[in-house]
Amino acid sequence: MFNDFKIQDEDRPAYIQVKEYLKRLIAKGALQENQKLPSTREMSVLLAVSRNTILAAYSDLEEEGLIYALKGKGSYVAGVHRTSEESQPALQTDWSARVSGYARKAVELDRMKNGIRTPRRSTISFTSIAPDEQLFDLDHVKRAFLDRMALEGHVLLNYGYAKGYKPLIELLMRYMEQKGVELEGKDLLITSGFTEGFDIVLSALHRRHGAVLCENPTHQTAIKNLKLNGFDVTGIEMEHDGIHLGKLKEALMERAYDCAYLVPSYHNPTGIVTSPAKRIALMKLMAEYQIPVIEDGFNEELRYSSSHALPLMSIGGRGNGVVYLGSFSKVLFPGLRVGWVLADKQLIDYLESIKRARSIHTSTIDQAILFQYLHNGHLDKYLKRARFEYKKKYEWTRQCCEKYLPDARLSGDGGLHLFLEFAPGFDTHKLLASCSEQGVVFTPGDMFYTDGSGRNTMRIGFSRVSLEDIEEGLRIIGATARMQGQK
Amino acid sequence: MFNDFKIQDEDRPAYIQVKEYLKRLIAKGALQENQKLPSTREMSVLLAVSRNTILAAYSDLEEEGLIYALKGKGSYVAGVHRTSEESQPALQTDWSARVSGYARKAVELDRMKNGIRTPRRSTISFTSIAPDEQLFDLDHVKRAFLDRMALEGHVLLNYGYAKGYKPLIELLMRYMEQKGVELEGKDLLITSGFTEGFDIVLSALHRRHGAVLCENPTHQTAIKNLKLNGFDVTGIEMEHDGIHLGKLKEALMERAYDCAYLVPSYHNPTGIVTSPAKRIALMKLMAEYQIPVIEDGFNEELRYSSSHALPLMSIGGRGNGVVYLGSFSKVLFPGLRVGWVLADKQLIDYLESIKRARSIHTSTIDQAILFQYLHNGHLDKYLKRARFEYKKKYEWTRQCCEKYLPDARLSGDGGLHLFLEFAPGFDTHKLLASCSEQGVVFTPGDMFYTDGSGRNTMRIGFSRVSLEDIEEGLRIIGATARMQGQK
């Protein structure tokens, strides 16, 4: 015994490694109740560590009640009241028979588990629309953390508020005001990112008609969460400047909906920015049919060229029917899990209680870092650099698509991805299978469709791909598409 | 115009403050489309800032498409396509008619909104069981953050995994192994604290019988989340050494339950540690009736004196029927929103998909800080100091209770609070009303009861109260109790 110990990690205090080793022996029953331990001197020889290390380890174990000392006699293992293996109560559960329909559906709709293969290292992958981490300004993030910790470290590490970290709430309210939002009668809740915000909003909605309108295609996670929350999803075709208003009107006349989920800027996956004129017409239609709108502010900040467009919430003016979901995840750092919901005060009050029930509050450190980073004015500087870099990639990707995939219809006015639509009958799953063998992957578009269509579409995320790889990847995709004899 | 500008904050870049000021004027329509802006020279005089500041602000606004420059003529406001106030589509929603029953219930059961008054600064408050922030070792937390950022800052700030940050998962698995848990067939999911973990587990449970067993009284948030997830809650009376096994058996014979929620160590609110013998008997009963157990590892680490006790999960051995929920929130830093679920592998797979659907993943920075802090061995050192301080307060609180409230039955073997039970008929709400006027508050115990009883009980949280205030507060409570003529 004791011959299988070795220091695992030079960086960790040795006495802790000894203590953990002995704890494991006690827990496993290898050291038994009332068994005498080697003296500290003997043990230091056995484990090849200093005697002080053993002394510190024994002292901690004694304090934790795992061993006891008899004066002049030595240290003994205390009883941990374990039962012998045979007499252990065998509480065996068949979990597959005990899980809810909700849990089953969550697995079934979990794209990360179904069909997404993690690309090999050498693969050119257009599947991600996460930001390029090479752009991250780590020093400003560190500075923001240290500034905040110095000011109120004790506050950051103790409980915060379900509604959010107050300085951040105020800053985001001002931020939204600059986007033309009328704040009167509205309030803001901090969430752990867009997804949590969306899920909380959906859980708060009465399923009177059990149906929600959205663009078709749309954000895959949104479709998933709508379904998980028990809503039927009706997708409305897109045009080059946003949702097809005629088809939207038809749908509205046909049946009643509980709300609409809309992504007016750099729509995922098509990259389309809804035109200012269409935004106004859209809001008029929503007002006419009294359909509350959940507006996804996705990548609103990543504008490269097209003219400024107000959020739907701003167009709605003093009306309280738009729920705005914001996040800097795709623009800044996805690792910081912070998003926000700006909505009618009364609704926020409900959402706050749900947030408290579900996760107490969002990480205060994440919120404090984000606050200080924004407060110091780093977002503006960062965005300038990020826009410059992403715009370069965006334009290059467009050019390469036009060169290598001249037959595919291209959409996308900015953001971190483009969308390609091939002729009807073309199958991007088949294309992916061949490209994947050649070391190039992309996201087939059908997973973004609400109605199973879109097998002739694909999304090209370029944010984390180098300029050379963008060209090489699209060259291969183009050549493969031609070879497959598909048009 | 422009006479209401002033630099709000010397720490923020001035050009950003100017830019935000102008954005607000444009958003509000105070500056209108095609209106000419003062030259940079004029504006610098008007706003009393340097000309370079104005140049930088104008340049950013131009890049964002909010103003445009005409060569040799100056800068003009771009169109933001706002509608006039009269023609704004009035999407007005009656949210109170649109919210779900779930949202209503969340507000109704929200203790923070109902009946909890924030104590005045001078009040002696026994309501909190959050850790004493004066004990926080901020320097180690900063060090942990900087160490991790230096090693892999880019990783921490980009997307992580729904299952959690791998180094932390591995560390916590080893940690649980030292508590005697058999890891074979089990897996671990990181959550944003105990509450999120509990809510996810409940949402994954099929409500076959729609009923859950627990101790009575028990953790108020747990009762809330059980109800919100649609379960009836049956509370079983406590004895001095844990749940009343006889009554538990009676309940089990009477009807079927979907699971049991149990807090074996420093039970909230009673502070009772379930004895080792009772833990074994309890697990045998659960095995006999095939009731899965959700074990709340609450404050297991805050042991001051009583002998070591294995978690129920360890007693269950190779069985897969126990779901263990862990968190260091009350022991270390509640602001770091990190907890974990250790359970059967197959169940964790379901929970992982739900976690992904609800919040993508837990803050990587929180997880990385916690990992590095634990890895550096700071938990052990911190716990030593924390136990020393809390034990002092714990013993002093006991003594003061015995002195000033000799008639109340006391329970609590450690942790951060004690529980007092007065004679039947005694009303701690009435007591609180009088004490509150004298500047002392505590938590009436009935909110922890599943059946509306417990009006003669109260919880005394001592972690954030000074020794003098503990005595003064309990002296006042004792005197008031006698004065009220209650026994």
Side-chain angles (χ1 to χ4, degrees), chain A residues 168 189-201 219 221 225 296 324-330 333-341 355 359 361-363 366-367 370, chain B residues 159 192 196 355-363:
Chain A
L168 182 62
L189 172 78
I190 304 281
T191 62
S192 304
F194 162 81
T195 305
E196 193 196 48
F198 189 54
D199 200 54
I200 287 177
V201 169
H219 186 25
T221 298
N225 284 32
D296 182 346
Y324 182 95
L325 294 172
S327 156
F328 292 123
S329 285
K330 291 287 189 306
F333 319 115
L336 290 185
R337 303 305 307 147
V338 182
W340 67 92
V341 186
K355 166 73 184 170
S359 59
H361 65 75
T362 292
S363 158
D366 280 9
Q367 294 184 72
L370 183 61
Chain B
Y159 277 111
S192 303
E196 193 196 49
K355 167 73 185 170
R356 184 175 288 116
R358 289 198 171 182
S359 59
I360 314 273
H361 65 76
T362 291
S363 158

Side-chain angles (χ1 to χ4, degrees), chain A residues 271-288:
Chain A
I272 289 169
V273 178
T274 301
S275 68
K278 190 163 261 188
R279 289 179 190 225
I280 294 171
L282 182 55
M283 282 303 292
K284 286 203 167 132
L285 209 50
M286 292 295 126
E288 189 186 332

Side-chain angles (χ1 to χ4, degrees), chain A residues 66-182:
Chain A
L66 285 163
I67 68 175
Y68 61 95
L70 291 181
K71 215 155 189 178
K73 287 191 142 182
S75 294
Y76 296 81
V77 178
V80 294
H81 305 274
R82 56 181 311 115
T83 47
S84 64
E85 201 146 330
E86 311 78 61
S87 68
Q88 271 171 4
L91 175 55
Q92 196 64 29
T93 302
D94 177 7
W95 287 108
S96 67
R98 295 238 184 204
V99 296
S100 60
Y102 172 80
R104 270 175 226 289
K105 222 165 162 183
V107 170
E108 184 193 312
L109 298 172
D110 191 338
R111 194 184 134 206
M112 298 298 282
K113 283 186 181 158
N114 304 304
I116 289 275
R117 281 156 296 193
T118 313
R120 279 164 293 151
R121 290 237 163 220
S122 61
T123 301
I124 299 174
S125 171
F126 293 109
T127 56
S128 174
I129 56 166
D132 179 2
E133 51 208 30
Q134 298 313 318
L135 291 175
F136 292 170
D137 47 347
L138 297 185
D139 285 339
H140 288 151
V141 173
K142 280 186 220 165
R143 194 68 260 154
F145 173 79
L146 293 174
D147 283 358
R148 229 46 227 168
M149 281 294 280
L151 274 170
E152 47 173 7
H154 292 106
V155 172
L156 303 192
L157 292 179
N158 219 326
Y159 277 111
Y161 298 97
K163 200 151 169 278
Y165 180 58
K166 276 177 190 158
L168 182 62
I169 294 179
E170 280 158 25
L171 187 148
L172 290 173
M173 296 274 265
R174 284 203 313 272
Y175 182 76
M176 294 305 295
E177 201 180 13
Q178 287 160 29
K179 288 177 185 270
V181 171
E182 170 62 56

Side-chain angles (χ1 to χ4, degrees), chain A residues 22 52 305 315:
Chain A
L22 294 174
N52 277 339
S305 55
I315 291 165

Side-chain angles (χ1 to χ4, degrees), chain A residues 291-317:
Chain A
I291 309 285
V293 171
I294 302 176
E295 175 174 20
D296 182 346
F298 185 71
N299 283 356
E300 205 159 87
E301 282 71 18
L302 287 184
R303 211 183 51 83
Y304 307 142
S305 55
S306 59
S307 74
H308 200 81
L310 293 175
L312 300 178
M313 184 175 240
S314 304
I315 291 165

Side-chain angles (χ1 to χ4, degrees), chain A residues 152-275:
Chain A
E152 47 173 7
H154 292 106
V155 172
L156 303 192
L157 292 179
N158 219 326
Y159 277 111
Y161 298 97
K163 200 151 169 278
Y165 180 58
K166 276 177 190 158
L168 182 62
I169 294 179
E170 280 158 25
L171 187 148
L172 290 173
M173 296 274 265
R174 284 203 313 272
Y175 182 76
M176 294 305 295
E177 201 180 13
Q178 287 160 29
K179 288 177 185 270
V181 171
E182 170 62 56
L183 294 178
E184 179 79 30
K186 301 205 175 69
D187 206 347
L188 193 143
L189 172 78
I190 304 281
T191 62
S192 304
F194 162 81
T195 305
E196 193 196 48
F198 189 54
D199 200 54
I200 287 177
V201 169
L202 293 181
S203 76
L205 273 188
H206 176 40
R207 287 186 287 271
R208 205 183 334 188
H209 314 295
V212 170
L213 280 167
C214 64
E215 289 124 349
N216 192 29
T218 194
H219 186 25
Q220 196 269 349
T221 298
I223 300 177
K224 173 173 83 173
N225 284 32
L226 285 166
K227 288 184 179 167
L228 275 175
N229 280 279
F231 290 102
D232 287 337
V233 182
T234 302
I236 307 292
E237 197 177 298
M238 298 281 282
E239 295 178 304
H240 71 282
D241 63 345
I243 201 165
H244 192 302
L245 289 175
K247 307 249 171 179
L248 177 59
K249 183 141 192 172
E250 275 171 34
L252 286 166
M253 289 191 300
E254 203 160 299
R255 63 164 295 184
Y257 293 92
D258 291 314
C259 74
Y261 162 73
L262 298 167
V263 194
S265 296
Y266 310 113
H267 175 264
N268 183 9
T270 67
I272 289 169
V273 178
T274 301
S275 68

